[in-house]
Amino acid sequence: MPEAFPVDTGDEANSLRAGGGVGESTALRIRAGGRELVADGSAPVVVGRGGGADVVVADQRVSRRHALLRLDTDGWVLEDAGSTNGTWLDGARVGRVAVAGRLRLRLGNPVDGSVLELDPGSRRPPAAGPSAVHRPAARRVRVGRARDNDIVVDDLLVSRHHAELRLDPTVGVEVVDLGSHNGTFVGGRRVERARLLPGEPVTVGHHTFRVVDGMVEDHVDSGDGGLEAVGLSVATRDGKVLLDDVGFAVGPRSLVAVVGPTGAGKSTLLHALTGFRPAQAGTVTYAGQDLYRDYDAVRQRIGFVPQDDILHRHLGVQRALEFAAELRFPGDSGRQERAARVAEVMAELGLGDRAHLPVAKLSGGQRKRTNVALELLTKPSLLFLDEPTSGLDPGYEKAVMRLLRDLADGGRIVVVATHSMQSLGLCDRVLFLAPGGIPAFFGPPAEALGYFGAGEYPDVFVALEHEDPASWRDRFRRHPAHQRYVQAPLAATATPRRAPAPPGPPPSPVRWRRQAGTLTRRYLAIIRADRRNLGLLVLQAPLLGLLLLAVMGADGLRADPSGMNLDARKVLLALVLSATWLGSSNAIREIVKERPIYRRERAAGVTVTAYVASKVAVLSCLTVAQAGVLAALALLRQGGPRSGVVLEAGTAELTLDVTLAGLAAMALCLLVSALVSNADKALTLLPLLLIPQLVLAGVLFETGDKPVLREVGHLASARWGFAAAAATVDLPELEPIRCDGPEPPAADCDEPWRHDPATWLRNLAALLGLTAASVVATVGVLRQADRRVLAGARRGPPARW
């Protein structure tokens, strides 16, 4: 197993390697510009913007040779090297300062200058993300979560045996993915096998590895990278501008508020920053990595909390988070590992005493915390929230904003879109957007009111809504705040503008079968937890069956002495339509009612087919059980055929006919649920779906001589369900007009009702075909909806999902 010791994990040109002789008393840990370094005191350390600096800080306010760190006889000392904008400690400019304990200095500006953190006398890396260099004992170095790996990675996003680095002095370094669930990335692209250029980074979960001089440098993303947005612009297909050249830069551990009136593009900006809906122009970078270009590699470091709840309301908090962890972490992660992470997040957010309380019974603030907890499971470095304080009273609103402040301080960049003005003082930066997505101000909240000349924040909203948006943009660009808080930080990053590259679909963190199994178990748990709905599901079929038993009398399917029965048609139609109702009502809301949850889980890697399969599996079992109970009760006194067309038991065959009719209706309404925009619309459409089934069944109304209705009738599951049932009971024999008489068959003697195996099997095949077609169409509609929702009504690259 390779030996490991702390070291900087940035680019080799900007790093200091701590040799094996670094002692506890002489080591100095340096954190600057999103990098962590350990110096051993054997040589002075130069901090500056120039390429010759040992610690490079990409900020134009930092001089090329800004400060010097050296080890004296009395310990470490920092000396300003004659910098233009100064080195600042606690708001005072310093020329020389002894580093006797932990220090946090600002370079170039006392308020928002680049942070330089110094920690003397300890090689212990911070808990947020240690760095190390590994000396390989062999040419093959295996990386993974299991303890038998050469490099053990404590990260649940990493598989037990994730990847292997092969160090061959003759051909160079090669990385091989070992069938990992979340992938191995080189240059932001997922690879199965790739040869590496010298020093080229390999990303595994939150870790980035570089092979330098035969040693493996390991850097953990501890949330200390900066976020930069340059020239973000979005417009609809009809030319309406949603975002207009928005740009800013924020440092690590920052809380940023995006505020503005309705229609100012706050949600659009968040979608562009997360990469869920890439901007048509401009770029987003995190820790120097292009988010759009390297999206697959960076996506695991992004958390996004939309306006709507993304947890099922009837599940307990802990159970809901456990299901989410099972879907987001690799399939080889153990239950205890996932449970430990869930418990850790719940403790961090103060939800421990609410572990078994259903989400629906939480207060507004606690629900927001629970939604945040879901996103924190994967330890994101970037956390975005869309209106998290919407609908909360002032007390809860303040508590949520304080939570976000704590999360940012804990090692994340937190960006929140909000209407609330009460707690802006907790933020490091605030971005005001005017209608049309025009940046009107970006900077510290303390400067915002003075900039707008307003006494309170509501006055700013009034001004933004009623004055020309373009004038706000021009005014801000002329103001010194634009140079100080936008131009200078962005110029330091030198991020090029370019259109985002076409993305691929999100990788699934778990195997399809396991993912479908988890979704199915969760769906069953939701049904069990919602006791009111469960009661209705259990009672529907018995009540309908008893109703049919009461109103249909007896011997409705048994031939009278003359060999006929005029009630048979009514009995079969009632059975088929009842099963159609059961299947339809079961499925009509099951996708649309959890659409926000579905969208977020799609972004996390849940596949459409696994999601639909879980719905079909549970709803099919439910519909089959209900149809069985319905038929058993309704047919108690109806007699029925002693034998079917194919099956020996006629009642069993008739139950099968009714069940397949219910399944076809269930699949159709699942498709409708995927098409509609809200659950209320779905319920409104339910009668409009059932009435055509009655009309087109071809029982009460003759449609065979009507060209359009005749063709459309073939799409009605009730038609084929009735035909299969009619073939089973030999309906033509029970009615006055015989199909096998000497006279030509009448119109009532429909060929699909014939009592022969070919006819019966053809009817069943039609029902199964309609079911399969509806399920396939549901998958297609959801995929198309993903592209439409995420790409919006705009030109530009395809959506992320």
Side-chain angles (χ1 to χ4, degrees):
M1 186 167 294
E3 180 185 356
F5 56 92
V7 74
D8 166 49
T9 54
D11 295 336
E12 304 82 71
N14 300 332
S15 65
L16 300 174
R17 181 169 298 127
V22 179
E24 292 289 333
S25 61
T26 60
L28 177 68
R29 178 164 295 279
I30 306 166
R31 177 184 290 173
R35 299 180 175 86
E36 292 181 6
L37 309 94
V38 174
D40 60 4
S42 59
V45 179
V46 177
V47 181
R49 182 166 50 87
D54 300 303
V55 180
V56 176
V57 182
D59 186 334
Q60 283 194 334
R61 295 170 296 178
V62 176
S63 299
R64 296 184 61 82
R65 184 181 175 90
H66 194 102
L68 187 71
L69 290 162
R70 58 184 178 82
L71 184 62
D72 265 357
T73 55
D74 295 329
W76 284 93
V77 175
L78 179 142
E79 297 176 344
D80 188 271
S83 64
T84 302
N85 295 313
T87 302
W88 303 82
L89 177 63
D90 296 331
R93 186 164 183 166
V94 296
R96 185 179 189 276
V97 61
V99 188
R102 292 186 180 182
L103 291 181
R104 181 181 174 92
L105 302 104
R106 293 276 185 177
L107 306 180
N109 188 284
V111 177
D112 66 335
S114 295
V115 175
L116 174 65
E117 292 181 316
L118 306 175
D119 184 8
S122 174
R123 293 182 57 205
R124 181 182 59 82
S131 301
V133 164
H134 304 271
R135 294 191 178 97
R139 291 186 178 181
R140 294 195 174 193
V141 180
R142 192 172 63 188
V143 179
R145 211 175 65 253
R147 296 300 170 187
D148 60 348
N149 288 286
D150 300 302
I151 299 178
V152 179
V153 176
D154 186 16
D155 184 350
L156 272 176
L157 291 176
V158 176
S159 297
R160 294 182 62 81
H161 299 105
H162 196 105
E164 189 174 76
L165 292 167
R166 299 177 180 177
L167 287 64
D168 190 328
T170 59
V171 299
V173 181
E174 186 179 45
V175 62
V176 179
D177 185 86
L178 301 179
S180 68
H181 293 294
N182 282 320
T184 302
F185 299 88
V186 175
R189 296 290 183 268
R190 187 167 184 167
V191 299
E192 299 297 328
R193 189 185 193 106
R195 193 165 302 282
L196 303 178
L197 298 173
E200 190 170 19
V202 177
T203 301
V204 171
H206 291 94
H207 291 248
T208 298
F209 297 96
R210 287 183 175 87
V211 179
V212 179
D213 298 333
M215 293 192 293
V216 182
E217 297 183 352
D218 176 8
H219 170 64
V220 182
D221 181 4
S222 56
D224 286 330
L227 175 69
E228 297 89 31
V230 179
L232 298 181
S233 298
V234 175
T236 63
R237 295 183 185 277
D238 58 5
K240 180 181 179 181
V241 177
L242 304 179
L243 280 184
D244 191 355
D245 196 17
V246 176
F248 60 87
V250 294
R253 302 169 190 261
S254 295
L255 175 59
V256 182
V258 180
V259 296
T262 301
K266 298 185 297 296
S267 296
T268 302
L269 176 60
L270 255 60
H271 289 151
L273 293 173
T274 57
F276 294 169
R277 186 188 300 169
Q280 294 156 296
T283 58
V284 180
T285 60
Y286 168 66
Q289 194 166 14
D290 190 312
L291 178 67
Y292 292 167
R293 184 192 63 203
D294 304 335
Y295 185 71
D296 284 345
V298 180
R299 67 183 304 133
Q300 296 166 354
R301 307 178 194 182
I302 298 173
F304 178 64
V305 181
Q307 295 184 37
D308 300 304
D309 288 341
I310 49 178
L311 288 169
H312 292 90
R313 293 171 52 84
H314 297 287
L315 292 179
V317 172
Q318 180 176 330
R319 193 74 178 113
L321 293 176
E322 286 174 346
F323 277 121
E326 195 170 341
L327 288 170
R328 295 192 178 200
F329 291 133
D332 59 10
S333 61
R335 184 174 182 178
Q336 290 184 341
E337 290 180 290
R338 297 192 301 268
R341 179 57 189 156
V342 168
E344 181 183 353
V345 169
M346 289 176 62
E348 181 180 1
L349 297 182
L351 294 169
D353 59 344
R354 299 289 187 269
H356 303 295
L357 196 66
V359 174
K361 294 185 178 181
L362 297 174
S363 66
Q366 290 167 344
R367 279 204 310 275
K368 295 300 181 183
R369 284 175 177 264
T370 306
N371 283 279
V372 172
L374 185 147
E375 293 302 314
L376 294 187
L377 288 173
T378 55
K379 299 182 179 180
S381 304
L382 299 171
L383 181 62
F384 299 88
L385 304 98
D386 195 357
E387 299 288 357
T389 59
S390 177
L392 300 182
D393 62 38
Y396 282 132
E397 185 271 340
K398 189 173 183 179
V400 169
M401 290 300 292
R402 285 192 178 278
L403 167 67
L404 301 183
R405 176 70 267 172
D406 292 341
L407 292 176
D409 292 338
R412 305 171 185 89
I413 293 176
V414 180
V415 182
V416 52
T418 180
H419 280 97
S420 176
M421 303 288 102
Q422 177 183 345
S423 302
L424 286 185
L426 294 172
C427 301
D428 298 292
R429 293 288 185 271
V430 58
L431 171 63
F432 281 92
L433 291 176
I438 294 175
F441 175 79
F442 179 79
E447 299 182 19
L449 290 178
Y451 170 81
F452 286 104
E456 51 187 5
Y457 288 115
D459 297 334
V460 177
F461 271 60
V462 173
L464 290 175
E465 287 186 292
H466 292 90
E467 295 188 26
D468 179 21
S471 67
W472 285 115
R473 174 177 52 203
D474 297 338
R475 175 183 173 182
F476 181 50
R477 287 181 176 177
R478 292 193 301 266
H479 196 273
H482 188 266
Q483 166 64 29
R484 184 181 308 123
Y485 302 122
V486 177
Q487 285 184 300
L490 286 179
T493 63
T495 305
R497 293 193 185 191
R498 59 174 172 240
S508 171
V510 296
R511 303 296 185 191
W512 187 93
R513 182 181 299 178
R514 182 173 177 274
Q515 191 179 84
T518 300
L519 291 168
T520 300
R521 286 189 292 106
R522 186 182 69 180
Y523 191 15
L524 289 170
I526 294 167
I527 292 175
R528 288 196 300 268
D530 188 356
R531 294 185 180 181
R532 180 179 299 178
N533 185 59
L534 179 61
L536 292 174
L537 292 176
V538 170
L539 292 175
Q540 269 194 103
L543 290 177
L544 276 176
L546 291 173
L547 178 62
L548 294 181
L549 178 65
V551 302
M552 290 193 306
D555 298 325
L557 297 177
R558 184 178 287 119
D560 60 19
S562 66
M564 296 183 296
N565 191 326
L566 300 181
D567 291 330
R569 191 180 285 219
K570 293 185 293 184
V571 171
L572 296 181
L573 182 61
L575 272 174
V576 170
L577 289 180
S578 295
T580 299
W581 160 262
L582 290 172
S584 299
S585 61
N586 289 340
I588 194 68
R589 298 182 303 126
E590 292 309 291
I591 291 178
V592 66
K593 72 180 183 182
E594 58 182 32
R595 182 155 290 163
I597 300 173
Y598 164 79
R599 288 174 180 168
R600 186 64 193 99
E601 290 183 343
R602 282 288 293 125
V606 169
T607 62
V608 175
T609 52
Y611 177 78
V612 173
S614 70
K615 294 293 184 186
V616 171
V618 174
L619 293 174
S620 294
C621 291
L622 177 61
T623 303
V624 168
Q626 289 177 326
V629 172
L630 171 74
L633 291 174
L635 295 175
L636 275 177
R637 297 191 296 169
Q638 301 309 311
R642 294 181 179 177
S643 64
V645 178
V646 173
L647 302 181
E648 289 293 331
T651 302
E653 186 174 291
L654 185 56
T655 301
L656 176 61
D657 301 333
V658 172
T659 299
L660 291 181
L663 289 176
M666 176 272 294
L668 174 64
C669 284
L670 198 64
L671 171 60
V672 173
S673 185
L675 285 167
V676 297
S677 58
N678 61 67
D680 291 338
K681 280 187 180 179
L683 289 177
T684 302
L685 287 174
L686 185 55
L688 301 179
L689 294 170
L690 293 176
I691 292 173
Q693 294 277 14
L694 174 64
V695 173
L696 298 175
V699 181
L700 300 180
F701 305 97
E702 177 56 49
T703 59
D705 58 346
K706 299 176 177 60
V708 176
L709 291 179
R710 182 177 60 239
E711 280 71 33
V712 174
H714 286 85
L715 301 178
S717 57
R719 171 193 173 108
W720 298 106
F722 182 87
T728 293
V729 302
D730 197 2
L731 183 61
E733 285 292 321
L734 295 175
E735 296 197 330
I737 300 176
R738 301 288 183 88
C739 293
D740 55 357
E743 299 297 329
D748 287 326
C749 188
D750 198 349
E751 182 181 355
W753 300 355
R754 292 183 181 277
H755 187 70
D756 63 72
T759 300
W760 182 76
L761 291 173
R762 190 161 51 246
N763 292 330
L764 261 61
L767 286 171
L768 293 173
L770 288 174
T771 303
S774 295
V775 171
V776 172
T778 301
V779 172
V781 166
L782 288 177
R783 284 178 172 164
Q784 180 60 32
D786 288 343
R787 290 188 286 269
R788 183 174 63 252
V789 169
L790 293 179
R794 64 172 178 81
R795 303 179 184 90
R800 295 290 180 193
W801 298 347

